[in-house]
Amino acid sequence: MRNGLILSLCGLLLGGCQTLTPTECRIANWAQMGEQDGSSGRYDRIASHVDSCAKQQIIVPAMSVQQYRVGYQQGLQAYCQPEVILDLALTGSGNLSVCPASQQAALRPYAQAGKRHHDAQKALDEVDRQQRKLETELQKTETTDQRRIEIRQELRRLDQQLVERRLDFNLADQSLQRLRQQLR
């Protein structure tokens, strides 16, 4: 029983390294796969796909590799747009480095503005979370008088920090609005 379990786990681990199943290797729409990778902001994965298929004794034809690369470039064209880069950066994701080097400089302000806005919102939310936690502790009957004094001091410090975080957020938001105006 134990040996069977170990073999099953090994099979799962080895299978996890494969990017495609044997069936996918045979019938894949390589252009569509490339386009999906590109439009998702992934790096070109054709080498790992070909390697995965080769490990399963399936040779990917050169034409399929070419179709993947054409699809990948089409996907990148859709991904490497200011609106897409900005929207992804606003969520704390996105990968500007997959875009062609010739486009990165023009896209960088959108990635930076989105990241700055995202980070400012996170910092604002963190101060708010800390304040709520301390206010909850302050309301508890078991909180000592000494701890209440410490909490009030910390809340005053957080109030000052909140003003700074709101300023950072407002500046980031203004920058974001200017960029959005440029996109219209």
Side-chain angles (χ1 to χ4, degrees):
M1 176 70 180
R2 183 181 165 127
N3 286 343
L5 178 62
I6 291 172
L7 287 174
S8 295
L9 287 173
C10 289
L12 284 173
L13 290 173
L14 289 173
C17 297
Q18 296 173 347
T19 61
L20 301 173
T21 66
T23 302
E24 290 170 326
C25 288
R26 286 187 199 94
I27 65 168
N29 181 333
W30 291 93
Q32 183 180 18
M33 244 192 324
E35 189 171 354
Q36 286 174 345
D37 285 349
S39 65
S40 298
R42 293 188 196 108
Y43 287 102
D44 180 319
R45 300 188 312 170
I46 189 62
S48 65
H49 293 321
V50 168
D51 186 50
S52 175
C53 292
K55 287 178 182 174
Q56 300 172 73
Q57 286 79 44
I58 299 169
I59 304 301
V60 177
M63 178 60 90
S64 296
V65 171
Q66 183 59 30
Q67 290 170 343
Y68 175 93
R69 291 205 167 116
V70 167
Y72 182 76
Q73 290 305 313
Q74 290 171 343
L76 274 186
Q77 285 178 358
Y79 179 83
C80 297
Q81 296 297 315
E83 301 88 357
V84 174
I85 297 298
L86 178 59
D87 288 343
L88 288 170
L90 286 169
T91 66
S93 62
N95 185 4
L96 183 62
S97 66
V98 298
C99 296
S102 61
Q103 292 180 291
Q104 288 182 18
L107 294 171
R108 191 166 288 110
Y110 298 95
Q112 290 171 338
K115 182 179 181 343
R116 182 176 175 202
H117 192 276
H118 175 264
D119 291 349
Q121 182 66 58
K122 276 182 59 177
L124 198 55
D125 292 345
E126 178 58 23
V127 171
D128 183 56
R129 186 195 64 75
Q130 289 175 8
Q131 284 181 319
R132 281 186 280 120
K133 180 180 173 190
L134 289 172
E135 287 167 356
T136 300
E137 186 179 350
L138 192 60
Q139 300 301 318
K140 292 181 180 178
T141 56
E142 63 268 11
T143 304
T144 65
D145 289 341
Q146 178 59 37
R147 179 64 184 143
R148 289 179 196 281
I149 292 168
E150 293 168 0
I151 290 172
R152 287 185 184 104
Q153 288 173 344
E154 182 65 11
L155 284 170
R156 281 191 291 280
R157 187 187 70 74
L158 286 172
D159 281 341
Q160 291 172 337
Q161 209 175 68
L162 188 61
V163 169
E164 293 170 11
R165 298 299 165 256
R166 282 187 180 140
L167 178 62
D168 290 345
F169 178 81
N170 289 337
L171 291 171
D173 196 53
Q174 289 170 6
S175 176
L176 176 65
Q177 297 312 318
R178 281 191 300 274
L179 279 176
R180 286 201 188 275
Q181 287 294 326
Q182 291 175 11
L183 290 174
R184 291 187 184 142

